[in-house]
Coordinates of all heavy atoms in Angstrom, one line a residue:
R28 N 6.9 19.5 -3.1 CA 6.7 20.1 -1.7 C 5.2 20.1 -1.4 O 4.5 20.6 -2.2 CB 7.4 21.5 -1.7 CG 7.2 22.2 -0.3 CD 8.0 23.5 -0.3 NE 9.4 23.3 -0.5 CZ 10.2 23.1 0.4 NH1 9.8 22.9 1.8 NH2 11.5 22.9 0.2
I29 N 4.9 19.7 -0.2 CA 3.5 19.8 0.2 C 3.3 20.4 1.6 O 4.3 20.5 2.4 CB 2.8 18.4 0.3 CG1 3.4 17.5 1.3 CG2 2.8 17.7 -1.1 CD1 2.8 16.1 1.6
S30 N 2.1 21.0 1.9 CA 1.8 21.4 3.2 C 0.9 20.5 3.7 O -0.3 20.4 3.4 CB 1.2 22.9 2.9 OG 0.7 23.3 4.2
A31 N 1.3 19.7 4.7 CA 0.7 18.5 5.2 C 0.1 18.8 6.6 O 0.7 19.6 7.3 CB 1.6 17.4 5.4
H33 N -0.4 18.2 10.2 CA 0.7 17.6 11.0 C 0.3 16.1 11.4 O 1.1 15.3 11.5 CB 0.8 18.3 12.3 CG 2.1 18.0 13.1 ND1 2.0 17.4 14.2 CD2 3.5 18.0 12.7 CE1 3.2 17.1 14.6 NE2 4.1 17.5 13.7
V36 N 1.6 13.3 9.1 CA 3.1 13.2 8.8 C 3.5 11.7 8.5 O 4.2 11.4 7.6 CB 4.0 13.8 9.9 CG1 5.5 13.3 9.7 CG2 3.8 15.3 9.8
F44 N 8.2 11.3 1.8 CA 8.3 12.7 2.1 C 9.0 12.9 3.5 O 8.8 12.0 4.4 CB 6.8 13.3 2.2 CG 6.2 13.6 1.0 CD1 5.4 12.7 0.4 CD2 6.3 14.8 0.4 CE1 4.8 12.9 -0.8 CE2 5.7 15.2 -0.9 CZ 4.9 14.1 -1.5
V45 N 9.8 13.9 3.6 CA 10.4 14.2 4.9 C 10.0 15.6 5.4 O 9.8 16.6 4.5 CB 11.9 14.1 4.8 CG1 12.4 12.8 4.6 CG2 12.5 15.1 3.8
T46 N 9.9 15.9 6.7 CA 9.4 17.2 7.2 C 10.6 18.2 6.9 O 11.7 17.9 6.9 CB 9.1 17.0 8.6 OG1 10.2 16.5 9.4 CG2 7.9 16.1 8.9
Q47 N 10.0 19.4 6.8 CA 10.9 20.6 6.6 C 10.3 21.7 7.5 O 9.3 22.0 7.4 CB 10.9 21.0 5.1 CG 11.2 20.0 4.1 CD 12.7 19.9 4.1 OE1 13.6 20.8 3.8 NE2 13.2 18.7 4.4
G48 N 11.3 22.3 8.3 CA 10.9 23.4 9.1 C 10.0 23.0 10.4 O 10.1 21.9 10.9
E49 N 9.3 24.0 10.9 CA 8.6 23.8 12.0 C 6.9 23.8 11.7 O 6.5 24.1 10.7 CB 8.7 25.1 12.9 CG 10.2 25.3 13.3 CD 10.8 24.2 14.2 OE1 10.0 23.7 15.0 OE2 11.9 23.9 14.0
V50 N 6.3 23.2 12.7 CA 4.8 23.2 12.6 C 4.2 24.6 12.6 O 4.7 25.4 13.4 CB 4.2 22.3 13.8 CG1 2.7 22.3 13.8 CG2 4.8 20.9 13.8
Y51 N 3.2 24.8 11.8 CA 2.7 26.2 11.9 C 1.1 26.0 11.7 O 0.6 24.9 11.3 CB 3.1 27.0 10.6 CG 2.9 26.3 9.2 CD1 1.8 26.7 8.6 CD2 3.8 25.5 8.8 CE1 1.5 26.1 7.4 CE2 3.5 24.9 7.5 CZ 2.4 25.3 6.9 OH 2.2 24.7 5.6
D52 N 0.4 27.0 12.1 CA -1.0 27.0 12.0 C -1.6 27.5 10.8 O -1.1 28.5 10.3 CB -1.6 27.9 13.2 CG -3.2 27.9 13.3 OD1 -3.7 28.7 12.6 OD2 -3.7 27.2 14.0
H58 N 0.0 22.3 10.6 CA 0.6 22.0 9.4 C 2.1 21.9 9.4 O 2.7 22.6 10.3 CB 0.1 22.8 8.2 CG -1.2 22.6 7.7 ND1 -2.4 23.0 8.5 CD2 -1.7 22.2 6.6 CE1 -3.4 22.7 7.8 NE2 -3.1 22.2 6.6
I59 N 2.7 21.3 8.5 CA 4.1 21.2 8.4 C 4.6 21.0 6.9 O 3.9 20.2 6.2 CB 4.9 20.1 9.3 CG1 6.3 20.5 9.4 CG2 4.5 18.7 8.9 CD1 7.1 19.7 10.5
E60 N 5.6 21.7 6.4 CA 6.0 21.4 5.1 C 6.7 20.1 5.0 O 7.4 19.7 5.9 CB 7.0 22.6 4.6 CG 6.4 24.0 4.6 CD 5.4 24.2 3.5 OE1 5.5 23.6 2.4 OE2 4.4 24.8 3.7
M61 N 6.5 19.4 3.8 CA 7.2 18.2 3.6 C 7.7 18.1 2.2 O 7.1 18.7 1.3 CB 6.2 17.0 3.8 CG 5.6 16.9 5.3 SD 4.8 15.4 5.6 CE 6.2 14.2 5.9
L62 N 8.8 17.5 2.1 CA 9.5 17.4 0.8 C 9.7 16.0 0.4 O 10.2 15.2 1.1 CB 10.8 18.2 0.8 CG 11.6 18.5 -0.4 CD1 10.8 19.4 -1.4 CD2 12.9 18.9 -0.1

Side-chain angles (χ1 to χ4, degrees):
R28 181 176 297 275
I29 62 172
S30 175
H33 190 254
V36 164
F44 284 89
V45 294
T46 58
Q47 302 283 300
E49 302 295 323
V50 175
Y51 60 93
D52 180 274
H58 281 70
I59 192 161
E60 295 292 320
M61 297 190 79
L62 186 68

